[in-house]
Amino acid sequence: MFLQKYRKAGFKQKFMFWLGLTLVLSIGVFSIFAPFITPYSPREIVGGSQNPPSLKHPMGTTKLGYDVFSKTIYGSRMAFTAGIIASVLALTFGLPLGLVSGYTGGFLDRLMVMLMDALYSFPGLLLAIIITATIGPGVFNAALAVFVVFTPQYFRVVRNHTLSIKQETFVEASRALGASTLLILIRDIFLNVVQSIPVIFSSNAASAILVLAGLSFLGLGITPPTPSLGYELSAAQRYLDNGIWWRALFPGIFMVMIISGFSFLGEGLNEILNPPADQG
Amino acid sequence: MLKYIFKRVLLTLPMIIILMTFVFIVIHSAPGDPATAMLGPRATEDRLNKIREQMGLNKPILQQYFDYIISTFRGDFGKSFVTREPVINLIGSYFPATLELTIYATGVAIIVGLGLGILGAAKSGGVIDFACHTYGILIYAVPVFFSGMLLQLVFGIFLGWLPSSGRIAGSVPVNVTGLYTVDCLITGNWSSLVSSIKYLLLPSITLGLFISGFFVRMTRTNLLQTINKDYTRTARAKGVREITILFKHAFRNALIPVMTIVGMQFALLLGGAILTESTFAWPGLGRFLVLSVNNRDYPAVQGIVTFFAFFVAFISLLIDVLNAYIDPRIHY
């Protein structure tokens, strides 16, 4: 199915898909092999104070003499894994809730929609801030906050999709043949809804990593000694006035690579699977 | 129309109450209770009890909940633990800065978004269209604090053209609206006007570019839809020039959804504003919220977030009503 549609897709769609996939996979590889790629430990003082990029330290060093390259790679690993874990959690809650709510309808559905819409309408970062403000910063707490923020996203998409599939003839046929609600939910609806998951998952993972980075920048997400790109950037800001550009530039570029990787992947997939009408 | 507004307001109420309930539950699920969280583990039982009494934490939880809802609707957003001022007064002094920043940022987003969106739609399918689409995705992936720091580096530190933190240099204009640029215009304070615009430039460009990606995409999609409508085709058949069609026929109709886009992006805008304010030391409500979180000033945090809930609800209400007013196809 995907291959057929892929062959019909234009250059632009394919380009975005491959660009996204390449970025995501390379960050994935960096994450897995971080200890082998980085020349130093991100937690050890290995060079002089605030040295600009050189052969020994390709991204320069920090005030205390840490290697920015090592910090960046480990920070990327953290952003990548925490973002994916939080998104998977949100998916595992949002998907079944959306399925059941959309299929059964009635009072429960209306209540769920009201709840989820209220959360959805609120700025995600703000929601995440009050959660981590109460339970404290840290990788686990930040991921928990992001999970709460993104569950409504999955719920909404899955519920709307379920509503439209519910009207299809094949669902009616199943019901007429006496299939149980559970069987219809799993066989007819879930298998259809699941096709749109890669698209929403990619774009939501991008937003999740963005929120996580924002939290860490404000000092409410991932905090030292755990390496984090968002925190690195907030630290870099203190020395910006002295013209120490390398501490901000490189971690920032890696962050953009991770987030845009997921965005391009989602956009490319979406345009390949649902080609826009205005272009062939 | 009045009936529609009334109905819409009624629909907003449950949304606000759900959000307030959520905020209440989160704040009160702090390990221990807010009093211990604020004073730290070494506080004496005496002081703790005093604070608990002040904040009403010794009352039954349900009563606390209803007290919170009722007093909020009366306009009482609690008292800051640090400054002992009513939170609503603090909001009053910090909010105008946030409002000013978001208004100018929206302006930047509309200019960039409409410009690139029109360009993309006019050259649909070509290289420029491709570039505009890529820009839309890429710019969303750049966290505002990173793009803000890059702008600070280039224009503030290397070139030295623009200030990179704060809101104004020299005398603060007489307070009328709290928006410095507007106050300067009203009072004819030209030197402060120039200064406040200088300070506004980098933050509003940073925040504006961040949300412009969405504007580019929506403008492009809407334009392409209207370009293929019957009335544009008729105009083309009559021999009207392509540029006239684009601006006179397609663009006007594509403008209607811009309102909706501003509304849809509002949550993103507010979230971005919190980060932009922290990056540029912009003395707005978002930065104050982060400071309050760091001070463990729970009453202030609760008050500010509650205020944001009301603000978000009000904007979505306003946009719906305006849309119903502009677009005759919406029935009410």
Side-chain angles (χ1 to χ4, degrees):
Chain A
M1 234 270 299
F2 176 75
L3 277 179
Q4 267 174 7
K5 288 196 167 170
Y6 176 79
R7 271 189 215 111
K8 275 189 206 149
F11 168 75
K12 183 172 123 183
Q13 286 78 8
K14 286 180 185 165
F15 175 79
M16 284 189 179
F17 172 73
W18 282 112
L19 178 65
L21 197 65
T22 313
L23 282 172
V24 169
L25 286 182
S26 28
I27 298 289
V29 169
F30 282 160
S31 303
I32 294 168
F33 297 104
F36 305 103
I37 295 169
T38 52
Y40 313 99
S41 156
R43 296 181 192 187
E44 272 169 41
I45 294 168
V46 289
S49 177
Q50 301 190 337
N51 290 347
S54 63
L55 275 178
K56 220 176 136 216
H57 300 285
M59 295 182 184
T61 59
T62 69
K63 175 131 185 161
L64 291 175
Y66 293 104
D67 180 50
V68 176
F69 176 64
S70 309
K71 273 186 172 273
T72 302
I73 294 291
Y74 275 95
S76 306
R77 165 150 114 168
M78 208 61 228
F80 189 74
T81 34
I84 287 189
I85 289 173
S87 302
V88 169
L89 269 179
L91 176 69
T92 39
F93 273 78
L95 179 87
L97 282 180
L99 273 180
V100 173
S101 187
Y103 188 75
T104 47
F107 175 72
L108 183 82
D109 180 48
R110 255 178 291 161
L111 190 74
M112 286 298 294
V113 168
M114 218 158 73
L115 250 167
M116 294 288 185
D117 273 1
L119 286 185
Y120 179 79
S121 69
F122 209 53
L125 183 69
L126 201 55
L127 217 53
I129 287 176
I130 53 164
I131 295 173
T132 50
T134 335
I135 58 177
V139 185
F140 180 76
N141 290 354
L144 189 76
V146 172
F147 150 68
V148 174
V149 172
F150 283 88
T151 303
Q153 308 255 5
Y154 289 103
F155 172 83
R156 281 165 60 101
V157 177
V158 171
R159 178 185 169 272
N160 289 340
H161 204 149
T162 307
L163 277 185
S164 67
I165 293 172
K166 208 172 123 184
Q167 316 292 334
E168 301 272 346
T169 337
F170 64 82
V171 176
E172 215 172 296
S174 287
R175 212 176 297 139
L177 286 171
S180 69
T181 307
L182 192 67
L183 185 69
I184 295 178
L185 266 181
I186 292 173
R187 189 185 58 191
D188 299 329
I189 298 187
F190 175 72
L191 285 181
N192 266 293
V193 169
V194 93
Q195 291 172 15
S196 55
I197 293 301
V199 174
I200 15 171
F201 185 82
S202 307
S203 47
N204 271 350
S207 310
I209 294 170
L210 202 56
V211 171
L212 213 55
L215 275 183
S216 305
F217 176 75
L218 297 174
L220 299 170
I222 306 170
T223 44
T226 315
S228 138
L229 295 179
Y231 181 82
E232 270 310 298
L233 279 164
S234 75
Q237 201 184 19
R238 288 197 285 272
Y239 306 106
L240 215 56
D241 283 341
N242 306 340
I244 311 292
W245 52 270
W246 54 89
R247 247 196 117 168
L249 184 69
F250 297 112
I253 289 178
F254 266 72
M255 183 164 281
V256 174
M257 275 167 56
I258 303 173
I259 299 167
S260 67
F262 280 108
S263 296
F264 277 120
L265 183 62
E267 184 77 7
L269 270 177
N270 185 33
E271 295 215 341
I272 289 171
L273 292 171
N274 321 301
D278 52 88
Q279 313 146 338
Chain B
M1 192 72 197
L2 265 177
K3 209 175 136 198
Y4 172 79
I5 296 176
F6 183 69
K7 253 166 81 185
R8 190 60 188 71
V9 171
L10 274 187
L11 278 174
T12 310
L13 270 178
M15 186 178 127
I16 290 181
I17 291 182
I18 288 173
L19 280 175
M20 287 177 71
T21 310
F22 183 81
V23 170
F24 182 84
I25 293 173
V26 170
I27 298 261
H28 284 258
S29 62
D33 69 350
T36 25
M38 283 192 302
L39 294 177
R42 274 182 295 175
T44 58
E45 200 57 29
D46 225 33
R47 276 207 68 199
L48 280 175
N49 283 334
K50 217 172 157 192
I51 294 295
R52 286 193 186 117
E53 202 164 314
Q54 252 176 39
M55 289 172 62
L57 287 169
N58 47 357
K59 292 181 195 163
I61 192 89
L62 264 178
Q63 198 192 335
Q64 288 183 44
Y65 173 71
F66 286 114
D67 282 352
Y68 162 58
I69 301 269
I70 292 167
S71 56
T72 303
F73 276 97
R74 282 197 188 133
D76 174 9
F77 284 68
K79 243 183 194 171
S80 160
F81 179 68
V82 174
T83 64
R84 314 224 172 253
E85 264 183 273
V87 176
I88 193 75
N89 294 358
L90 294 167
I91 291 172
S93 62
Y94 287 106
F95 182 62
T98 303
L99 195 64
E100 189 168 39
L101 173 66
T102 46
I103 289 173
Y104 283 94
T106 309
V108 171
I110 288 178
I111 293 169
V112 174
L114 288 186
L116 292 182
I118 293 171
L119 203 66
K123 311 268 178 197
S124 164
V127 180
I128 294 179
D129 183 25
F130 183 51
C132 290
H133 196 165
T134 312
Y135 165 83
I137 296 174
L138 203 60
I139 198 73
Y140 174 73
V142 185
V144 282
F145 45 89
F146 179 49
S147 53
M149 281 161 80
L150 289 183
L151 289 177
Q152 282 176 339
L153 260 179
V154 175
F155 295 101
I157 293 154
F158 292 149
L159 295 173
W161 290 351
L162 292 168
S164 53
S165 69
R167 199 178 166 197
I168 197 163
S171 66
V172 172
V174 183
N175 191 359
V176 185
T177 58
L179 310 177
Y180 283 1
T181 47
V182 178
D183 288 352
C184 290
L185 274 176
I186 295 175
T187 55
N189 188 346
W190 307 121
S191 64
S192 291
L193 180 68
V194 172
S195 166
S196 62
I197 289 176
K198 270 190 183 167
Y199 277 87
L200 249 173
L201 269 174
L202 290 185
S204 52
I205 289 175
T206 304
L207 184 55
L209 286 182
F210 175 60
I211 53 167
S212 72
F214 199 74
F215 281 76
V216 175
R217 297 177 59 176
M218 293 302 276
T219 310
R220 178 182 169 278
T221 317
N222 285 324
L223 260 181
L224 284 178
Q225 272 166 11
T226 42
I227 275 176
N228 296 327
K229 284 265 164 66
D230 285 344
Y231 53 82
T232 27
R233 210 175 307 153
T234 311
R236 202 168 287 142
K238 284 194 308 191
V240 179
R241 278 193 318 160
E242 200 63 27
I243 186 124
T244 322
I245 292 177
L246 193 67
F247 278 94
K248 247 186 119 180
H249 297 256
F251 184 58
R252 275 195 184 178
N253 285 295
L255 256 188
I256 297 175
V258 167
M259 277 304 296
T260 323
I261 307 174
V262 175
M264 281 161 75
Q265 285 312 87
F266 193 70
L268 197 63
L269 181 70
L270 269 190
I274 297 175
L275 293 171
T276 311
E277 287 176 6
S278 293
T279 311
F280 288 93
W282 187 260
L285 200 52
R287 186 159 170 269
F288 181 54
L289 172 71
V290 176
L291 288 178
S292 303
V293 168
N294 289 335
N295 288 337
R296 305 197 150 276
D297 188 348
Y298 282 91
V301 172
Q302 178 170 305
I304 298 166
V305 176
T306 309
F307 173 78
F308 272 127
F310 272 88
F311 188 47
V312 168
F314 170 73
I315 292 288
S316 92
L317 175 74
L318 185 74
I319 296 231
D320 276 3
V321 171
L322 278 177
N323 260 339
Y325 185 71
I326 294 172
D327 193 340
R329 284 169 302 186
I330 296 177
H331 295 289
Y332 47 82

